[in-house]
Amino acid sequence: MNSLSSFLGALMAALQSHPICEQATVVETKVFSSDQFFLKVRANLRGKNRLQARIYYNQGHIDDADQLFTDLPILRWDNKEEFRHVETYPHHHHDEKGNVKPSPLTEDPVRDIEIVLHDVSSFLLSPCSRRLRRLESRC
């Protein structure tokens, strides 16, 4: 997979077919050349939650970031090369408390979005997520 249309089609299909996704939309695409492009998609999830996936592809190298958020970030997975101490460097995960942890993601955005959707589903059903929602409703 090495074109904007193939990445976009596969990501949108994965999001639209997942039970926690209510609607998925393409937010932005940019083509710089045949082997360099950027895309951003968002999915509305249950409640006020949204999931965003961003991919920058450049001659086979992929920078990607997936983020669960409402008005503020909640969870994030990315491969920004800043946390060299993480055993899965450059891949890492920012949890709901802001801690940086190892990530199972691999720079295969289609496979990775399935992992992210599974983790987001588990998080949204967790007691921690319910506590966060109660705190938000008090604000």
Side-chain angles (χ1 to χ4, degrees):
M1 190 172 311
N2 61 1
S3 71
L4 174 63
S5 61
S6 61
F7 276 110
L8 197 54
L11 281 174
M12 291 298 288
L15 290 169
Q16 290 170 335
S17 66
H18 199 278
I20 67 167
C21 295
E22 295 178 348
Q23 179 184 13
T25 56
V26 177
V27 175
E28 183 179 5
T29 61
K30 289 182 184 176
V31 176
F32 304 103
S33 69
S34 62
D35 59 357
Q36 184 183 18
F37 56 84
F38 170 82
L39 68 87
K40 184 190 308 183
V41 297
R42 275 193 194 145
N44 293 334
L45 310 180
R46 296 180 187 142
K48 297 178 183 180
N49 299 294
R50 291 174 283 179
L51 180 65
Q52 176 174 282
R54 293 181 320 155
I55 297 172
Y56 172 71
Y57 181 93
N58 186 6
Q59 300 176 355
H61 176 79
I62 299 172
D63 289 327
D64 62 343
D66 302 301
Q67 179 172 259
L68 174 66
F69 65 103
T70 55
D71 294 334
L72 298 170
I74 302 171
L75 303 174
R76 187 172 82 236
W77 297 258
D78 65 77
N79 66 341
K80 185 168 171 70
E81 298 171 346
E82 59 188 340
F83 296 103
R84 294 184 185 275
H85 68 280
V86 177
E87 63 197 48
T88 56
Y89 173 83
H91 302 279
H92 57 278
H93 167 64
H94 301 261
D95 70 13
E96 70 280 3
K97 296 176 183 174
N99 299 313
V100 176
K101 298 181 174 185
S103 167
L105 304 190
T106 64
E107 289 183 32
D108 177 351
V110 177
R111 178 187 167 278
D112 290 349
I113 199 67
E114 295 291 346
I115 295 168
V116 168
L117 286 164
H118 176 270
D119 289 354
V120 166
S121 295
S122 297
F123 175 79
L124 293 176
L125 294 172
S126 73
C128 179
S129 175
R130 289 191 291 275
R131 282 193 303 275
L132 284 173
R133 286 194 299 269
R134 280 197 302 271
L135 289 172
E136 285 175 354
S137 68
R138 292 180 193 161
C139 297

